[in-house]
Amino acid sequence: MNPADFAVLFLLNLAGVITPGPDVVLITRLATRSRKHAAAASLGISLGALMWITLTVLGAAAVWTAFPRVLVLLQVIGGAWIVFMGVAMVRQGMRDRGQPPADLQDAVDRLGSVRAAFFTGLATNLSNPKIVLFLAALIAPLLPPSPSLGTALLVIVALWLPALLIFLLISVVVSTKRVRRKLLGAGPSIDIGAGAFFIAAGSGLVIRGVTG
């Protein structure tokens, strides 16, 4: 892979990472309450992304093309799970409206464990197979048909590491105490808005999977 193709691949992937989607929405929602929970979700999301990126670079896109029903099944199951998480967020927001957090620590406590945040991030990313289609369209025209191990590893790291750093940056910037104090009262509305986004995104995946 020549340097120009590598630069195009890097920049296009960067644009995809910063485009708002379930991953970014989840991290932002958690960061308005807890830096640790947002960072844990970022690590979970990044682990899922690493799996998708590795599979795509190693040729899994050909499997999706040969067996499109597998991708359809992933879309339906993943979309349904994202809808489920969205409903849970909306319900949490509605509960918090009736009994809002007393302070910042109360808001953190209501998120559950940091471990749970990690697995929520992982599940969110793995439930969105749309990343496979994006990566396949991104990588196929630029990556050699049979890349060397060194080239494959370089591409995997170049696509994965910036995403991890951006997610952690969002976690840090949004979770400053000043920002969290300002957004404490808006927490229930943020949960409801994030939940509505998840429901819409998940429903879109299910509909595309069912309709083909």
Side-chain angles (χ1 to χ4, degrees):
M1 175 178 284
N2 62 60
D5 286 346
F6 184 80
V8 170
L9 189 66
F10 178 84
L11 293 174
L12 288 176
N13 178 65
L14 203 60
V17 170
I18 62 177
T19 301
D23 293 341
V24 173
V25 170
L26 176 65
I27 293 168
T28 304
R29 174 202 172 234
L30 292 174
T32 61
R33 295 192 176 194
S34 166
R35 177 171 296 175
K36 286 183 179 179
H37 286 75
S42 297
L43 293 176
I45 288 168
S46 298
L47 179 60
L50 179 61
M51 188 201 79
W52 289 127
I53 291 168
T54 302
L55 287 174
T56 305
V57 170
L58 296 181
V63 176
W64 313 133
T65 302
F67 303 98
R69 290 187 179 181
V70 174
L71 187 57
V72 168
L73 185 62
L74 286 175
Q75 284 183 308
V76 172
I77 295 175
W81 178 250
I82 290 175
V83 169
F84 173 79
M85 289 193 290
V87 171
M89 290 179 194
V90 171
R91 293 179 64 185
Q92 181 65 51
M94 296 299 291
R95 284 195 297 268
D96 286 351
R97 269 189 173 177
Q99 189 177 2
D103 52 31
L104 291 179
Q105 187 56 49
D106 186 21
V108 173
D109 293 340
R110 296 188 186 193
L111 291 176
S113 69
V114 173
R115 178 186 175 92
F118 171 84
F119 284 108
T120 298
L122 178 61
T124 299
N125 188 270
L126 293 181
S127 298
N128 188 8
K130 189 171 67 174
I131 187 174
V132 176
L133 303 177
F134 171 75
L135 289 171
L138 183 66
I139 293 172
L142 300 173
L143 193 67
S146 300
S148 65
L149 178 60
T151 298
L153 289 175
L154 181 63
V155 170
I156 290 170
V157 172
L159 295 178
W160 170 75
L161 187 59
L164 171 63
L165 295 178
I166 288 173
F167 292 151
L168 290 175
L169 179 62
I170 295 172
S171 301
V172 171
V173 171
V174 178
S175 64
T176 61
K177 187 170 287 188
R178 182 179 178 182
V179 172
R180 287 191 292 128
R181 278 204 186 100
K182 286 186 175 181
L183 294 177
L184 180 62
S189 297
I190 292 172
D191 282 354
I192 292 170
F197 182 90
F198 267 59
I199 291 170
S203 298
L205 282 174
V206 172
I207 292 170
R208 281 195 295 272
V210 171
T211 61

